[in-house]
């Protein structure tokens, strides 16, 4: 069966520091991969998606970037965090119609 | 304009009763999909049910059913025989277009359901 992992689970970072969040999927090949952000009490906002290795599409211009160095690995990065980057970051994968989500990373930028 | 609208920020339901969570959508694409996800306090988004725009029958998955009214552009989630563990945020989402490449979802603002014992 397929599983999706995200780490770390929680992160507290100072403003201006770098960021690297990792997502890996097991049990499937060539999935579509997605990064979402959820502000407190709100719905999800799509940040990036990828249909294959090295293929990244950005939905929201910001100081975040994404990379897909391997088929089942998706990384979200930032060179300098802003206060507004705080939130709950969710990675998801899909092969068919349905997207399946990871456990998420709660990021607090102070 | 909002593509997915959930008008109920919060709802209460008595344990063992049925509850309907509202969702309306806006699209001009004839091919689309509608999804419902549950988000408990742990934060994980759990897929519940899917309805395709060309599906003739309403989707059902155990205690979950989707009341799909295409002409009214609504896709309400019905939970039968509510349980305490159903207390959570519920999100409606839509995918537009046929292509699975990208397969982007647009989410509504969510409804918080609280089940009373």
């Amino acid at each position: 069966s397929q599983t999706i992992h995200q780490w770390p689970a929680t992160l507290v970072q100072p403003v201006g520091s770098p960021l690297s969040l990792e997502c890996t999927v097991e049990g499937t090949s060539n999935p579509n991969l997605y990064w979402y952000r959820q502000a407190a009490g709100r719905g999800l906002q799509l940040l990036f998606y990828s249909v294959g290795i090295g293929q990244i599409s950005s939905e929201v211009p910001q100081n975040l970037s994404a990379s897909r160095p391997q088929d089942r690995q998706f990384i979200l990065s930032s060179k300098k965090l802003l206060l507004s980057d705080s939130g709950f970051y969710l990675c998801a994968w899909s092969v068919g119609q349905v997207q399946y989500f990871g456990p998420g990373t709660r990021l607090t930028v102070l | 304009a909002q593509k997915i609208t959930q008008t109920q920020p919060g709802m209460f339901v008595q344990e063992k009763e049925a509850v309907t969570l509202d969702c309306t959508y806006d699209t001009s694409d004839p091919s689309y999909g509608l999804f419902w996800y549950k988000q408990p306090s742990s934060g994980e988004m759990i897929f519940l049910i899917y309805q395709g725009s060309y599906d003739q029958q309403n989707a059902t998955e155990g205690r979950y059913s989707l009341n799909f009214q295409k002409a009214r552009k609504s896709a309400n989630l019905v939970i039968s025989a509510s349980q305490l563990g159903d207390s959570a945020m519920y999100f409606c989402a839509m995918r537009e277009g046929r292509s699975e490449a990208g397969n982007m979802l647009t989410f509504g603002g969510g409804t918080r359901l609280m089940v009373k014992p």
Side-chain angles (χ1 to χ4, degrees):
Chain A
S1 65
Q2 301 89 356
T3 55
I4 179 169
H5 304 280
Q6 283 187 248
W7 62 90
T10 59
L11 192 59
V12 180
Q13 291 285 94
V15 169
S17 64
L19 174 74
S20 181
L21 302 181
E22 190 164 342
C23 169
T24 58
V25 181
E26 296 176 358
T28 186
S29 297
N30 197 30
N32 292 338
L33 296 172
Y34 312 83
W35 277 112
Y36 288 88
R37 178 169 60 199
Q38 185 180 29
R42 306 288 293 276
L44 274 67
Q45 179 187 40
L46 179 65
L47 301 175
F48 301 95
Y49 70 91
S50 171
V51 299
I53 296 174
Q55 300 179 61
I56 308 294
S57 296
S58 174
E59 289 298 301
V60 182
Q62 60 219 319
N63 68 320
L64 299 173
S65 62
S67 62
R68 185 171 178 174
Q70 300 179 41
D71 181 45
R72 289 169 287 179
Q73 184 184 29
F74 205 22
I75 297 172
L76 182 70
S77 304
S78 174
K79 292 182 179 179
K80 285 187 176 182
L81 284 168
L82 307 173
L83 286 173
S84 57
D85 291 324
S86 292
F88 190 52
Y89 289 81
L90 287 152
C91 180
W93 70 272
S94 71
V95 172
Q97 298 288 348
V98 180
Q99 290 186 24
Y100 297 95
F101 287 80
T105 294
R106 198 164 300 279
L107 172 66
T108 303
V109 182
L110 301 175
Chain B
Q2 293 275 359
K3 290 212 170 188
I4 295 285
T5 303
Q6 295 180 252
T7 57
Q8 307 152 311
M11 287 197 63
F12 285 94
V13 64
Q14 197 66 41
E15 191 179 10
K16 300 181 184 177
E17 293 185 351
V19 63
T20 298
L21 306 184
D22 295 341
C23 173
T24 57
Y25 59 92
D26 182 26
T27 181
S28 57
D29 197 318
S31 176
Y32 54 90
L34 297 157
F35 304 78
W36 277 91
Y37 287 86
K38 172 184 178 181
Q39 188 178 40
S41 56
S42 62
E44 185 177 0
M45 294 286 284
I46 302 167
F47 166 70
L48 296 178
I49 197 166
Y50 164 77
Q51 178 86 43
S53 58
Y54 293 116
D55 293 344
Q56 295 296 316
Q57 299 202 342
N58 287 345
T60 61
E61 288 285 350
R63 294 187 297 112
Y64 305 108
S65 60
L66 202 152
N67 184 1
F68 181 44
Q69 298 187 42
K70 199 168 183 176
R72 299 178 63 180
K73 293 189 175 180
S74 74
N76 299 339
L77 176 70
V78 180
I79 305 175
S80 63
S82 297
Q83 301 172 357
L84 295 177
D86 294 335
S87 295
M89 283 290 290
Y90 288 81
F91 290 95
C92 180
M94 177 174 64
R95 171 197 54 77
E96 296 175 274
R98 286 183 180 276
S99 172
E100 291 182 10
N103 204 15
M104 292 174 285
L105 294 180
T106 303
F107 283 81
T111 295
R112 181 170 298 280
L113 177 66
M114 291 152 282
V115 180
K116 297 186 290 184

